[in-house]
Amino acid sequence: MKIKMKRLGALALTAILALSASISSFNLIDSTRVNTSFGKVGYFAPISVMRLVEKGNRGTIDPDLSYASERLLDSALTLKKAEYGIDKLLTPADTVLLDKVEAEIKHLAFTSRDMHVLNGLALPPTIDSLMEASGNRYAVAMVGSGYSRTRLNFSNKQRIRVAKEIVLQGNTFGAKYPEKAVSIVHALLLDSKENKVVYYRQNRMPEREPTNANIVTTQVNSLLVGLFMNN
């Protein structure tokens, strides 16, 4: 019986690794080919929506985690923006308009993610007006999402138990298991002339803290290369 349980545990761990590999490689890319000679590009300040899981498997939006993630995203983007011709920060002075811009950017990112295939999602009015007023045809937007767990909420024992259930049910495709943390960065290229999103991609790193500076920097760099070098 002990041998069987050990084998089951090994199978469970194998399933976890397989799922991690498949999830981390998931990307969404618009089929639209963006001209690499679009010149100077504006950008919006990064936004983050981070959750902290304290009880069960559901988290609540945590302002401190979200703020920390935004600062890391901004630092990583600032270090690389000159290299890719990203120059002007597009931000309204009015706080009400700023709230609208942030809400619209989150809507674009999460809708693009849920669509799985981007088909020229139209720009909302506030973003479009701000880009046209700035004289920038193109602008980059980045949104962070993901979550972290408290130490009391997560343990290897719990992880193995759920993985065993997945193996016993014979359902590993699309199965969910408790990840300690997930760091996700969404990148979009917005076109005010065409009035649409012309590029979307996300970088998802399971089992990585969204407030780890090295992880966030790696994600941002990867997305910028995909946007400016591989298009």
Side-chain angles (χ1 to χ4, degrees):
M1 183 64 180
K2 290 183 177 180
I3 294 176
K4 289 183 178 180
M5 290 304 294
K6 287 182 179 179
R7 288 179 178 175
L8 189 56
L11 286 172
L13 287 173
T14 301
I16 288 175
L17 293 173
L19 283 168
S20 295
S22 64
I23 291 173
S24 62
S25 63
F26 173 66
N27 289 306
L28 302 177
I29 305 177
D30 179 20
S31 59
T32 303
R33 307 301 295 177
V34 179
N35 189 343
T36 55
S37 61
F38 38 69
K40 293 294 183 180
V41 178
Y43 75 101
F44 293 93
I47 306 166
S48 286
V49 183
M50 294 294 168
R51 297 179 182 274
L52 181 64
V53 184
E54 296 181 282
K55 294 182 179 180
N57 201 39
R58 289 190 176 184
T60 55
I61 295 176
D62 188 277
D64 293 332
L65 278 178
S66 299
Y67 179 77
S69 172
E70 287 176 357
R71 300 283 68 76
L72 291 175
L73 287 170
D74 187 65
S75 296
L77 184 57
T78 298
L79 287 173
K80 287 288 185 177
K81 66 180 185 179
E83 182 177 337
Y84 294 105
I86 304 172
D87 63 343
K88 186 185 294 184
L89 174 63
L90 307 180
T91 181
D94 186 276
T95 55
V96 175
L97 288 179
L98 179 60
D99 289 340
K100 287 184 178 180
V101 168
E102 291 182 348
E104 289 179 357
I105 290 174
K106 286 187 285 187
H107 169 75
L108 290 175
F110 297 140
T111 301
S112 297
R113 174 199 62 192
D114 295 340
M115 286 172 63
H116 292 281
V117 176
L118 184 63
N119 292 309
L121 197 64
L123 297 186
T126 309
I127 288 178
D128 189 41
S129 298
L130 183 60
M131 289 179 64
E132 289 182 353
S134 71
N136 284 88
R137 174 177 176 177
Y138 295 104
V140 172
M142 287 196 171
V143 178
S145 64
Y147 61 84
S148 182
R149 295 177 185 269
T150 61
R151 289 185 178 181
L152 293 177
N153 179 262
F154 188 81
S155 68
N156 286 332
K157 183 177 180 181
Q158 179 188 14
R159 190 182 193 181
I160 295 298
R161 178 181 60 79
V162 176
K164 286 179 179 179
E165 292 177 359
I166 293 173
V167 172
L168 287 172
Q169 294 171 1
N171 177 24
T172 57
F173 180 76
K176 294 182 179 180
Y177 62 92
E179 297 167 321
K180 183 179 181 181
V182 174
S183 180
I184 307 171
V185 180
H186 311 259
L188 306 99
L189 183 66
L190 315 178
D191 184 341
S192 63
K193 182 177 180 180
E194 298 294 330
N195 193 33
K196 66 180 182 179
V197 178
V198 292
Y199 180 93
Y200 168 80
R201 186 178 179 182
Q202 70 162 323
N203 184 294
R204 186 183 194 276
M205 297 187 70
E207 306 296 348
R208 297 294 185 271
E209 291 290 343
T211 53
N212 183 309
N214 291 331
I215 295 299
V216 174
T217 298
T218 297
Q219 291 179 287
V220 170
N221 291 345
S222 175
L223 289 167
L224 289 175
V225 168
L227 172 57
F228 290 96
M229 304 296 289
N230 298 335
N231 250 324

